[in-house]
Amino acid sequence: MARGKLRIYVGAAPGVGKTYAMLSEAHRRVERGTDCVVAFVEHHDRPRTEVMLHGLEQVPRTELAYRDTVFTEMDIDAVLARRPAVALVDELAHTNVPGSRNEKRWQDIEELLEAGIHVISTVNIQHLESLSDIVESITGIRQKETVPDEVVRRADQIELVDMSPTALRRRMAHGNIYKSHKVDAALSNYFRPGNLTALRELALLWVADRVDEYLQEYRSEHRVSKIWGSRERIVVGLTGGSEGRTLIRRAARLAEKGAGGEVLAVYIARSDGLAAGSPKELAVQRTLVEDLGGTFHHVLGEDIPSALLEFARGVNATQIVVGSSRRKAWQYIFGPGVGATVARDSGPDLDVHIVTHEEVAKGRGLPVARGARLGRSRIIWGWLVGSVGPALLTLLLLYVEASLGLANDMLMFLMLTVAAALLGGFLPALASALVGSLLLNWFFTPPVHRLTIADPKNILALVIFVMVAISVASVVDLAARRTHQAARLRAESEVLSFLAGSVLRGETTLDALLERVRETFAMEAVALLERESETAPWTCSGSVGDVSPLARPEDADVDMPVGDHMALALTGRVLPAEDRRVLAAFAAQAAVVLDRQRLQSQAEQARKLAEGNRIRTALLAAVSHDLRTPLAGIKASVTSLRSDDIEWSAEDQAELLAGIEEGADRLDHLVGNLLDMSRVQTGTVTPLIREIDLDEVVPMALGGVPESSVVLDIPEELPMVAVDPGLLERSVANLVENAVKYSPEGEPVLVSASALGDRVELRVADRGPGVPDDAKDRIFEPFQRYGDAPRGAGVGLGLAVARGFAEAIGGTLTAEDTPGGGMTMVLTVPTVAGHQLAQPDLPAAVTS
């Protein structure tokens, strides 16, 4: 069965019209005859959105009870049984009510997609996991409900529902988003123009990045090499010199002129013997480009201009920034330079900026060494000098009236042979020696115009000439090959140095390493494959690029074994043997990184198991004492009441029954704390945020302590708070019970509250012995009691549960000294002004 397709409407803020656009699309599909149903859509009492539901089939929702309240959620089984072609599921980041099949709604959608049902959904940009920190810094509000970016990126279609901040605020003022009594608070807080503008920019940039990914996939699939300037992407060519900093800053300024501009700095390690860049300077430039928001790339290339242009076209760049040549005037005889060559060969689709700097015309930092890979033009010139040069020299010598002598003629022909060796290598020099010896014999050795030689001395001279010419050519060629080998090894050492540096800098993720392999060797895709045994199938442990054809190492263009059951597979081109040495180092490092990741995962699991064992040990110790004490009292009272030997009076029976009730209450309290701590430890606490007054919650938390033991000071003018009332009540109850337990007789606990900015601060102060500063954090750990001296009932969980619940509702809990002696617990919770909510009695996600 084919997997269903997912379409997501993305918005910058609530009210931009995501749900309306989704319902409009549903009506269009229904008109075309598509079987489309509403699996879950929340209209939030917005009249225009509610009207759009008319005429669409709605699958009945399922009802779930949680904390004495009934909530409705999407009925997955009903949707699967109905099996429509398209299902509308609103609010992708929503957290389901506890008791649902899945924790998150996006997991429900995954089930529908796996069943072959197409899904249309909505999400706000602030609910994306990668942007939650940025949104919090902008709005001051931490989004508790998020969805992994990868879930949204996997969508087959993403459509941005955009609206200007002015239009959205006007829509809010007209009452089209929230009810009238919430409009003023919303406009003055979350829906401020600055907030909306920043969120809109985030949404536009995120969707633009996703569109760019689609574009890259299309260009790769259709092998499009021509640059499509859909966005400004600027490549900076670095040489390792100090001028690179100037080029990077210049490129950053160019990128700032266009929204969404991107800077990619690339250093190309040459293997033809040219001087390498300074590793220290490259490290500085890498840090600079990353600080400016760009990325640094290291590529191995034979020809600098070609490699730079190939990289730029590969990343769909629109501009290239290179520096003016550092060559002196006389050095231009060796060629026009990198900048001029790049500008000449860039074509009409790439703009090239040649930037001046302080190092212009100051010469190269290191001398140029020649390599063995001479290039086509030099080989052609070598053959021309070696074959045509002797003929031209013969004509020149024949027209000279005065004879120079055979010795001088041989020296001139030897000069041509050396020139041919320097230009074209051994073979052109050998050809020059052979042709030159024949011409010397025919035209300049008596008897002339014959191949015979009259004087034996001339025979010896010609033989020596040929031997010297061949020897010189051999030495020159050998030196060139040795130079090439040294240059190649140096280039490899540069790559390995960057590889080792990436490990030291903490770039140890497998995907980052494989991406480095792909860039270094200019490959299309790289995958690390492994299998458990010789007969087991290969599995992919990590990959970059399109690795769909890489089911086995044999399917790749290049495969590098790593041990017996692992291989690094690459597609794109066949690598020469000399490149495989560096590739082997990358492969070994990839295996090490994979092992390290697995060891870290196992260490984390071991840490969790150790923590669980510690808690279980503490729990057993607590059960052995604190739980058995009330059980022993209950058992003794029940045994006494059942005894036939004693006739108990009504007062005695009432006292024994009161003891049983007290012991049962203590057990209930202890078990309740244990269950609450279990929920906090496993992360299953799901707050249901509501707008409520503090004076409605705090009095209910005092039911477990004597009325005279607490003094309450909660001003009526406090702002409403955005909390889960049940969790706040349990947290306050634990704080008050702990304070009363340690307060001296006759010293009531003071519970007071005050407003502080966008928070409300609740303080529970006692006059007990207090806690030293170094123990103030430890008292919030599970099964911890200061001094390990039990006092009264409890297993040391009250404060741990209180802090866990406080953090779950977006608050904080800390301990301070009470002036005059004692300890004060400070509980801060957010006010409604800092948390935009839509309806009470509903999870926070429904406001998204």
Side-chain angles (χ1 to χ4, degrees), residues 289-539:
V289 71
E290 291 176 350
D291 289 343
L292 293 175
T295 56
F296 186 91
H297 305 266
H298 187 274
V299 177
L300 185 66
E302 299 294 345
D303 181 69
I304 296 295
S306 300
L308 183 59
L309 289 170
E310 182 180 356
F311 177 84
R313 292 192 172 95
V315 299
N316 199 31
T318 57
Q319 302 180 53
I320 296 179
V321 174
V322 293
S324 296
S325 179
R326 291 179 297 170
R327 296 182 176 190
K328 294 183 179 295
W330 64 269
Q331 291 178 314
Y332 280 96
I333 62 175
F334 298 111
V338 173
T341 304
V342 170
R344 181 192 64 198
D345 299 338
S346 62
D349 51 357
L350 262 174
D351 295 335
V352 178
H353 301 265
I354 300 180
V355 180
T356 59
H357 49 83
E358 295 180 353
E359 302 298 322
V360 173
K362 290 186 177 181
R364 298 180 181 272
L366 292 174
V368 177
R370 299 186 181 277
R373 294 188 177 179
L374 304 174
R376 180 177 300 178
S377 61
R378 288 189 58 180
I379 293 176
I380 292 175
W381 275 107
W383 280 104
L384 287 175
V385 172
S387 57
V388 180
L392 296 177
L393 180 59
T394 300
L395 294 176
L396 177 63
L397 293 176
L398 290 175
Y399 282 98
V400 175
E401 295 183 359
S403 176
L404 299 178
L406 183 59
N408 290 329
D409 295 339
M410 286 185 177
L411 288 176
M412 298 185 69
F413 276 95
L414 182 61
M415 181 185 66
L416 283 180
T417 301
V418 173
L422 293 175
L423 288 173
F426 178 74
L427 291 180
L430 180 60
S432 176
L434 295 177
V435 173
S437 62
L438 290 175
L439 292 176
L440 281 171
N441 185 7
W442 184 266
F443 289 101
F444 303 103
T445 306
V448 296
H449 305 304
R450 292 184 183 181
L451 293 178
T452 58
I453 302 176
D455 190 349
K457 294 181 181 179
N458 292 337
I459 297 177
L460 179 61
L462 286 176
V463 171
I464 293 176
F465 164 75
V466 173
M467 292 177 61
V468 170
I470 294 176
S471 299
V472 170
S474 299
V475 170
V476 171
D477 185 69
L478 180 61
R481 285 191 284 111
R482 292 290 183 265
T483 301
H484 169 69
Q485 292 174 359
R488 182 70 191 184
L489 291 174
R490 189 196 61 239
E492 291 177 2
S493 67
E494 290 177 5
V495 175
L496 296 177
S497 174
F498 270 91
L499 176 61
S502 66
V503 176
L504 295 176
R505 286 188 298 271
E507 299 175 2
T508 56
T509 63
L510 184 59
D511 289 344
L513 181 62
L514 296 182
E515 180 63 27
R516 179 75 66 185
V517 174
R518 191 183 67 83
E519 288 182 355
T520 300
F521 297 100
M523 289 294 184
E524 295 178 358
V526 180
L528 184 63
L529 306 178
E530 64 175 337
R531 59 181 177 181
E532 296 180 357
S533 64
E534 295 293 339
T535 58
W538 290 93
T539 59

Side-chain angles (χ1 to χ4, degrees), residues 488-651:
R488 182 70 191 184
L489 291 174
R490 189 196 61 239
E492 291 177 2
S493 67
E494 290 177 5
V495 175
L496 296 177
S497 174
F498 270 91
L499 176 61
S502 66
V503 176
L504 295 176
R505 286 188 298 271
E507 299 175 2
T508 56
T509 63
L510 184 59
D511 289 344
L513 181 62
L514 296 182
E515 180 63 27
R516 179 75 66 185
V517 174
R518 191 183 67 83
E519 288 182 355
T520 300
F521 297 100
M523 289 294 184
E524 295 178 358
V526 180
L528 184 63
L529 306 178
E530 64 175 337
R531 59 181 177 181
E532 296 180 357
S533 64
E534 295 293 339
T535 58
W538 290 93
T539 59
C540 182
S541 301
S543 64
V544 292
D546 183 13
V547 296
S548 54
L550 291 179
R552 304 173 305 165
E554 294 81 3
D555 299 332
D557 294 324
V558 181
D559 68 286
M560 176 59 64
V562 187
D564 296 331
H565 303 129
M566 188 178 294
L568 189 65
L570 302 87
T571 59
R573 64 189 180 94
V574 177
L575 289 180
E578 54 192 4
D579 284 342
R580 295 179 67 88
R581 292 193 299 270
V582 179
L583 183 61
F586 274 105
Q589 184 62 32
V592 171
V593 169
L594 181 61
D595 289 341
R596 185 185 297 115
Q597 289 181 352
R598 289 174 175 172
L599 289 175
Q600 290 174 347
S601 177
Q602 293 173 3
E604 179 64 20
Q605 293 177 1
R607 187 194 63 79
K608 292 180 179 178
L609 289 175
E611 179 67 16
N613 288 333
R614 187 188 67 81
I615 293 177
R616 279 193 292 271
T617 302
L619 176 59
L620 290 175
V623 170
S624 66
H625 180 274
D626 297 276
L627 295 182
R628 292 182 63 185
T629 300
L631 281 174
I634 294 173
K635 176 65 175 176
S637 298
V638 171
T639 302
S640 299
L641 288 174
R642 289 173 57 93
S643 176
D644 298 332
D645 301 336
I646 303 176
E647 186 70 27
W648 300 101
S649 65
E651 291 79 5

Side-chain angles (χ1 to χ4, degrees), residues 276-294:
S278 166
K280 181 178 180 181
E281 182 63 33
L282 286 174
V284 172
Q285 294 173 14
R286 179 191 185 99
T287 302
L288 175 61
V289 71
E290 291 176 350
D291 289 343
L292 293 175

Side-chain angles (χ1 to χ4, degrees), residues 144 687-694 719-725 728 758-760 806 808-811 829-837:
K144 296 185 178 299
L688 302 179
I689 306 299
R690 294 179 53 187
E691 301 172 5
I692 195 169
D693 287 317
L694 205 59
M720 298 181 71
V721 294
V723 296
D724 182 315
L728 179 60
D758 60 349
R759 317 283 287 181
V760 168
I809 60 177
V829 292
T831 62
V832 172
H835 283 67
Q836 185 60 48
L837 304 171

Side-chain angles (χ1 to χ4, degrees), residues 154-386:
R154 286 200 306 262
D156 299 277
Q157 295 184 58
I158 296 177
E159 183 171 334
L160 178 66
V161 182
D162 189 29
M163 178 174 288
S164 68
T166 302
L168 183 57
R169 285 172 56 83
R170 187 183 302 114
R171 178 181 288 184
M172 172 71 73
H174 291 165
N176 294 334
I177 301 177
Y178 292 153
K179 294 182 179 179
S180 57
H181 67 278
K182 299 180 179 180
V183 169
D184 291 339
L187 290 175
S188 60
N189 290 279
Y190 191 88
F191 285 81
R192 294 194 300 267
N195 287 359
L196 296 178
T197 301
L199 291 174
R200 187 188 187 199
E201 182 179 13
L202 277 179
L204 291 169
L205 291 176
W206 192 91
V207 174
D209 286 338
R210 185 66 186 111
V211 172
D212 191 62
E213 291 178 11
Y214 281 131
L215 178 61
Q216 294 292 353
E217 292 174 4
Y218 179 86
R219 285 168 51 85
S220 177
E221 292 174 359
H222 294 77
R223 300 187 180 278
V224 178
S225 59
K226 185 178 179 181
I227 292 176
W228 292 352
S230 53
R231 63 181 296 184
E232 290 299 330
R233 185 175 279 111
I234 304 171
V235 170
V236 185
L238 302 178
T239 63
S242 59
E243 73 278 1
R245 307 182 198 182
T246 303
L247 304 184
I248 292 172
R249 294 188 179 97
R250 176 60 175 166
R253 291 196 297 271
L254 290 173
E256 290 174 356
K257 294 181 179 180
E262 184 179 358
V263 177
L264 300 90
V266 55
Y267 170 69
I268 300 174
R270 301 187 64 166
S271 61
D272 63 352
L274 291 183
S278 166
K280 181 178 180 181
E281 182 63 33
L282 286 174
V284 172
Q285 294 173 14
R286 179 191 185 99
T287 302
L288 175 61
V289 71
E290 291 176 350
D291 289 343
L292 293 175
T295 56
F296 186 91
H297 305 266
H298 187 274
V299 177
L300 185 66
E302 299 294 345
D303 181 69
I304 296 295
S306 300
L308 183 59
L309 289 170
E310 182 180 356
F311 177 84
R313 292 192 172 95
V315 299
N316 199 31
T318 57
Q319 302 180 53
I320 296 179
V321 174
V322 293
S324 296
S325 179
R326 291 179 297 170
R327 296 182 176 190
K328 294 183 179 295
W330 64 269
Q331 291 178 314
Y332 280 96
I333 62 175
F334 298 111
V338 173
T341 304
V342 170
R344 181 192 64 198
D345 299 338
S346 62
D349 51 357
L350 262 174
D351 295 335
V352 178
H353 301 265
I354 300 180
V355 180
T356 59
H357 49 83
E358 295 180 353
E359 302 298 322
V360 173
K362 290 186 177 181
R364 298 180 181 272
L366 292 174
V368 177
R370 299 186 181 277
R373 294 188 177 179
L374 304 174
R376 180 177 300 178
S377 61
R378 288 189 58 180
I379 293 176
I380 292 175
W381 275 107
W383 280 104
L384 287 175
V385 172

